[in-house]
C-alpha cells in the first residue's frame, strides 16, 4: 500500500485527480471504477478543470460506478447517476453510452445484479477503482457483516449509513433503504485501487481498515490484501494511524 498524506481536502483531491489523469493518459481506453459521495467531489472538479484546459481526453474511457440506490430513477437528483452526471459526465467528453451504474429502477434485485456483473465482465474489469470509505468502514455499500459478499448484490443500508446520507435528502425517511453495490471480490479484482478520505470523523475508520485486523466487520480492511492500493488521505483522516506512516 502507498499512502499519500495531504494537508487538507483540496490537496487530497489534486493528488487523487493526478493519479486518475495519469491512468487516462497512459491508457486512454481504460476502465475507471467510480464512486460518489463527498470525498471524490474535489477530485472530479480537478479532472474537469484539466479537461477544460485541454490536458485530458475522456473520449475512449469507460466507467463503472460502485453503486446506486434501489428505487431511484436517473433523473432523481439523489440518484448516483444524477451525481455522476452533475460532477463529471456532463462536463467532459466521455461517451455516455460507456458510463455504467447499476439500474436503480430494476425492482428485481437478482436481475439488476446479474446484469451489472455482466456489464463489468464485458468491459474487461476495472483498471483503476476510486473508493471512499464510510464511518463504519464500508466500501461501496458493502456494510459490516459476517462475510464478504463477492459480486453485485442488493444491500439493506445500516442505520449509520442512513444517518450519514440523510444530509443529502429532505429528511431521513426519504433516504432509500436499499442499494445495489459492487461486491468485494469485484472491487478487489480492480488492477489498481485509489481510496480518498478526508476529515477527522473518518480517522477511526481509516485506522481500522488499514492497520486493524482484516475482517468483514470492517469491509475496507480487505484492501490490505490488494497489491496495488493507493491511499490518499488528509492529515486529519490519518490522525489515528500509527505515527510511523
Ligand atoms: C459511494 C460509496 C460509498 C462512499 C462512502 C463515503 O459511491 O460507495 O462507499 O464512498 O460512504 O462517503 P462520503 O465520501 O460521502 O463520506
Amino acid at each position: 500500500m502507498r499512502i499519500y498524506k495531504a494537508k487538507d481536502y483540496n490537496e487530497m483531491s489534486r493528488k487523487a485527480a493526478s493519479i486518475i489523469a495519469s491512468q487516462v493518459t497512459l491508457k486512454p481506453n481504460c476502465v475507471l471504477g467510480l464512486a460518489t459521495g463527498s470525498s471524490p467531489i474535489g477530485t472530479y472538479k480537478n479532472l474537469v478543470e484539466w479537461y477544460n484546459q485541454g490536458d485530458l481526453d475522456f473520449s475512449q474511457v469507460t466507467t463503472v460506478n460502485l453503486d446506486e440506490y434501489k428505487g431511484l430513477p436517473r433523473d432523481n437528483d439523489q440518484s448516483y447517476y444524477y451525481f455522476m452526471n452533475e460532477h463529471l459526465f456532463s462536463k467532459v467528453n466521455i461517451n455516455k453510452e460507456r458510463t455504467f451504474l447499476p439500474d436503480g429502477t430494476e425492482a428485481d434485485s437478482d436481475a439488476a445484479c446479474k446484469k451489472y456483473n455482466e456489464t463489468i465482465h464485458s468491459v474487461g474489469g476495472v483498471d483503476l477503482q476510486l473508493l471512499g470509505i464510510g464511518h463504519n468502514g464500508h466500501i461501496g455499500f458493502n456494510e459490516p457483516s459476517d462475510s464478504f459478499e463477492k459480486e453485485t448484490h442488493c444491500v439493506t443500508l445500516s442505520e449509520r449509513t442512513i444517518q450519514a446520507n440523510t444530509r443529502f435528502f429532505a429528511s431521513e425517511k426519504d433516504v432509500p433503504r436499499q442499494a445495489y453495490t459492487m461486491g468485494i471480490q469485484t472491487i478487489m479484482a480492480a488492477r489498481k485501487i485509489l481510496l480518498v478520505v478526508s476529515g477527522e470523523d473518518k480517522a477511526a475508520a481509516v485506522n481500522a481498515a488499514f492497520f486493524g485486523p482484516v475482517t468483514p466487520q470492517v469491509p475496507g480492511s480487505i484492501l490490505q490484501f490488494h497489491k496495488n492500493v493507493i491511499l490518499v488521505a488528509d492529515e486529519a483522516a490519518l490522525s489515528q494511524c500509527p505515527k510511523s506512516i
Side-chain angles (χ1 to χ4, degrees):
M1 175 185 41
R2 262 173 297 160
I3 302 177
Y4 287 101
K5 196 187 266 194
K7 87 175 174 304
D8 54 21
Y9 181 86
N10 287 342
E11 195 177 298
M12 172 203 81
S13 301
R14 265 200 315 279
K15 174 57 83 179
S18 72
I19 293 167
I20 297 172
S22 310
Q23 172 70 62
V24 172
T25 305
L26 289 170
K27 187 178 176 191
N29 63 347
C30 64
V31 178
L32 299 178
L34 298 178
T36 60
S38 311
S39 309
I41 289 179
T43 304
Y44 296 142
K45 198 162 166 264
N46 278 284
L47 291 174
V48 169
E49 228 170 88
W50 298 339
Y51 165 75
N52 285 332
Q53 287 163 8
D55 293 331
L56 271 178
D57 175 14
F58 288 88
S59 61
Q60 296 178 60
V61 170
T62 297
T63 65
V64 285
N65 261 78
L66 282 169
D67 38 22
E68 179 59 281
Y69 285 119
K70 181 175 176 181
L72 294 193
R74 288 183 155 199
D75 60 0
N76 182 301
D77 64 4
Q78 292 309 325
S79 77
Y80 285 173
Y81 180 85
Y82 194 99
F83 175 102
M84 288 311 304
N85 210 34
E86 189 82 350
H87 292 285
L88 187 68
F89 299 159
S90 67
K91 298 198 155 91
V92 298
N93 66 336
I94 200 160
N95 175 355
K96 291 251 187 79
E97 291 186 356
R98 301 217 51 85
T99 62
F100 300 100
L101 288 91
D103 180 1
T105 62
E106 174 57 82
D108 178 341
S109 300
D110 289 344
C113 295
K114 183 167 180 284
K115 186 164 165 234
Y116 202 55
N117 286 331
E118 284 166 5
T119 300
I120 297 167
H121 291 302
S122 75
V123 300
V126 174
D127 289 302
L128 173 63
Q129 177 66 56
L130 177 62
L131 295 177
I133 189 163
H135 294 109
N136 60 7
H138 73 223
I139 50 174
F141 269 130
N142 293 278
E143 298 282 19
S145 130
D146 292 337
S147 59
F148 291 112
E149 287 275 353
K150 296 191 184 73
E151 295 198 288
T152 310
H153 55 287
C154 179
V155 285
T156 299
L157 307 192
S158 71
E159 262 319 303
R160 205 158 173 204
T161 301
I162 293 168
Q163 294 297 333
N165 290 0
T166 298
R167 69 191 195 276
F168 301 116
F169 291 83
S171 75
E172 194 205 291
K173 70 173 175 19
D174 296 317
V175 183
R177 269 29 189 185
Q178 289 191 307
Y180 296 131
T181 182
M182 259 188 208
I184 292 291
Q185 179 178 287
T186 309
I187 293 172
M188 289 294 283
R191 293 178 264 283
K192 213 176 287 157
I193 292 179
L194 168 61
L195 191 139
V196 287
V197 57
S198 163
E200 206 173 341
D201 57 312
K202 294 284 179 73
V206 174
N207 184 47
F210 290 96
F211 299 96
V214 174
T215 161
Q217 295 301 336
V218 182
S221 65
I222 193 77
L223 299 174
Q224 293 180 45
F225 288 157
H226 194 284
K227 59 181 185 331
N228 205 349
V229 174
I230 309 170
L231 168 63
V232 182
D234 65 11
E235 286 166 8
L238 292 173
S239 59
Q240 289 187 28
C241 293
K243 294 280 169 273
S244 53
I245 61 153

